[in-house]
Amino acid sequence: MPSTDSGITKSHYELLAALRHSLRRFQRFSREAARAAGLTPQQHQALLAIKGFPGRDYVSIGELAESLQLRHHSAVGLVNRLMRRQLVLRAHSAADRRRVEVRLSPRGAACIEGLSAAHLKELRQLGPGIRRLLESMTES
């Protein structure tokens, strides 16, 4: 707990609480949107991590595990569940047969596109308030 001479004021606490509230609102929206699409929040995060991976349209199991902060075997289980739902495709790399590449299936791509559109709409609504909070924090 910070000491009383830390420079943290009541307004700092209020800003931090308001920011946390806004982030929790977005997280709740995201969980509910994923569930409405028939996914778990973790499955949604995995599809987004694959689609949003920089520079290419696939990830390795290790990269997915790192992105989601999972253990390797947990990422393998997640990919297996996504494959059963026909949301991803898994294949050995042509360059290195030891490496497994995970790509979105057409069904997975359509799913993440719909969810991402809804998330961007929600962020456009919440974003200005969050931006104001962050700007207030850097000014104080």
Side-chain angles (χ1 to χ4, degrees):
M1 185 170 200
S3 65
T4 55
D5 63 351
S6 65
I8 299 175
T9 65
K10 173 72 170 145
S11 65
H12 288 124
Y13 289 110
E14 291 170 1
L15 286 169
L16 288 168
L19 179 61
R20 183 168 174 84
H21 177 258
S22 294
L23 295 174
R24 296 285 298 162
R25 277 185 57 196
F26 182 72
Q27 285 181 316
R28 186 185 73 220
F29 165 83
S30 184
R31 281 191 310 272
E32 291 173 359
R35 289 185 180 121
L39 300 174
T40 67
Q42 190 177 58
Q43 289 170 336
H44 168 228
Q45 290 170 13
L47 296 179
L48 184 59
I50 296 166
K51 183 69 174 181
F53 195 82
R56 56 179 204 254
D57 65 351
Y58 65 89
V59 296
S60 70
I61 297 286
E63 290 165 338
L64 184 61
E66 170 58 29
S67 177
L68 300 179
Q69 293 295 286
L70 298 173
R71 295 185 187 267
H72 187 272
H73 69 276
S74 297
V76 169
L78 177 58
V79 167
N80 288 341
R81 290 186 296 280
L82 290 168
M83 284 187 61
R84 281 194 296 275
R85 305 220 27 228
Q86 300 177 331
L87 296 169
V88 300
L89 307 167
R90 178 174 43 197
H92 287 282
S93 167
D96 181 352
R97 302 289 298 159
R98 297 169 297 174
R99 185 178 168 117
V100 173
E101 296 174 353
V102 180
R103 288 180 165 74
L104 296 179
S105 69
R107 183 176 176 182
C111 185
I112 196 60
E113 183 176 347
L115 276 168
S116 294
H119 279 71
L120 288 172
K121 182 180 176 187
E122 182 71 6
L123 280 172
R124 284 185 187 107
Q125 292 175 3
L126 292 175
I130 293 172
R131 183 179 301 115
R132 281 190 299 277
L133 288 168
L134 290 171
E135 287 169 355
S136 295
M137 293 178 116
T138 59
E139 293 167 0
S140 57

